[in-house]
Amino acid sequence: MDFTPTEAQAEARDLAARIFGDLATHERLKAAGTGSDPELWKALCTAGLVGAVSELGLLGLVLLLEEQGRTTAQVPYAATCVYGLLAVGSHGTREQRERLLPGIEDGSVVVGGAFPAQGGVRVSGQGELTGSVPVVPWLRDATHALVADTGRRLWLAPLGEGTVSSPVELTAPWSAARLTLDRAPAELLGGSGEAAYADVLATARTAFAGLQAGVCAGSLARAVAHTNTREQFGRPLATRQAVQLRAADAHMDTEAIRVTAYEAAWRRDAGLPYATHALTAAWWASEAGQRVVHTGQHLHGGAGADLDHPVHRHFLWGRQLDAYLGCGAEMLQELGELITHGE
């Protein structure tokens, strides 16, 4: 295994860091409220950072999502790359790829993912979907939704006729909505079945783990800066052993999230089995991620409890990613079953 970024991956990561750093400022994030930032989304698409993921692979996407997580930038980057670009690119027919990918790459097509399958969507013989999904992140920004039916087949449903998107506020400002389908027309994604569903789910787990690594890194960086400048009894807080131990534990947790996400992404790009590795990354992102963002907030003392403080946004994102990735005990059970069956 070699997680060293290629020249193209490193250049894309650095470009993403500059764009997120310039546009995902605290002031702009406050102004966006619970919505997304259309100017930032346009900048990312114009710079080619959506379309580039096709060439950069999942490891490249994880590197880019780390930069988004550091700034908690409010754009549907993870969703549209995972459920749109990579899903269509890997499992769509040639006609679907030629028709849909250009729009996804330029940002005019945004895809939300009704994942994982929650057993509530049925399909008729005419390719019409009926059912509901309680929460779909970034659905308010989406033009299409990737939906898994009860048989775990993947359907791409344009948001319009037969679909209702009702806004839902989450812990983090992810422009989420409830998706209700009433005989909504949809197209089957290629010849998708259980294998396609499993691949998209594992890809999503890996990508969102990468996003969590960035969220944690950003939270910890803020905590380190604060404790190095905040003095108590004439000494910086960072000189206190208890503070150092909390920060060290958070650093190790963050590195565990990062390296497991890198490994899962590298294995997918190399064409190797990676379902268990994606679950491992998701477990670390869920379990360790919430520990890190709690630490980041606690090390800010009273300032960390201020809802308008930048570190509180990392706390909200970390807890939302913890919930989105799933319960740690359930993931461990699924991981054990995969290992038992030799997958």
Side-chain angles (χ1 to χ4, degrees), residues 277-290:
H277 302 80
L279 260 173
T280 301
W283 181 84
W284 272 106
S286 178
E287 291 288 300
Q290 55 90 15

Side-chain angles (χ1 to χ4, degrees), residues 208-262:
F208 281 94
L211 184 61
Q212 181 75 300
V215 170
C216 292
S219 175
L220 186 57
R222 291 187 182 278
V224 169
H226 175 79
T227 56
N228 273 293
T229 56
R230 175 71 170 174
E231 291 190 358
Q232 187 179 65
F233 305 117
R235 295 169 54 193
L237 288 173
T239 62
R240 309 292 177 180
Q241 188 177 45
V243 172
Q244 294 172 359
L245 291 174
R246 286 293 301 276
D249 285 343
H251 172 73
M252 294 303 296
D253 274 338
T254 301
E255 288 302 300
I257 299 169
R258 177 180 288 116
V259 73
T260 52
Y262 283 7

Side-chain angles (χ1 to χ4, degrees), residues 10-43:
E11 289 177 354
R13 178 195 59 198
D14 294 343
L15 176 59
R18 289 197 297 272
I19 293 174
F20 285 128
D22 290 343
L23 295 181
T25 62
H26 180 55
E27 293 71 25
R28 287 178 63 89
L29 290 169
K30 285 182 65 177
T34 61
S36 294
D37 186 336
E39 183 180 343
L40 174 54
W41 181 240
K42 181 178 180 181

Side-chain angles (χ1 to χ4, degrees), residues 110-196:
V110 177
V111 184
F115 265 69
Q118 300 178 40
V121 177
R122 304 175 305 280
V123 59
S124 68
Q126 292 74 39
E128 295 175 330
L129 304 180
T130 299
S132 64
V133 181
V135 176
V136 181
W138 289 289
L139 188 64
R140 279 181 265 166
D141 300 327
T143 59
H144 294 71
L146 185 67
V147 182
D149 66 19
T150 53
R152 295 192 170 183
R153 291 177 299 172
L154 303 180
W155 299 83
L156 200 59
L159 300 184
E161 181 184 352
T163 64
V164 176
S165 174
S166 308
V168 173
E169 298 302 338
L170 303 180
T171 301
W174 282 6
S175 294
R178 176 185 178 89
L179 178 64
T180 303
L181 304 158
D182 183 12
R183 300 182 65 82
E187 59 179 307
L188 186 66
L189 188 63
S192 71
E194 286 276 352

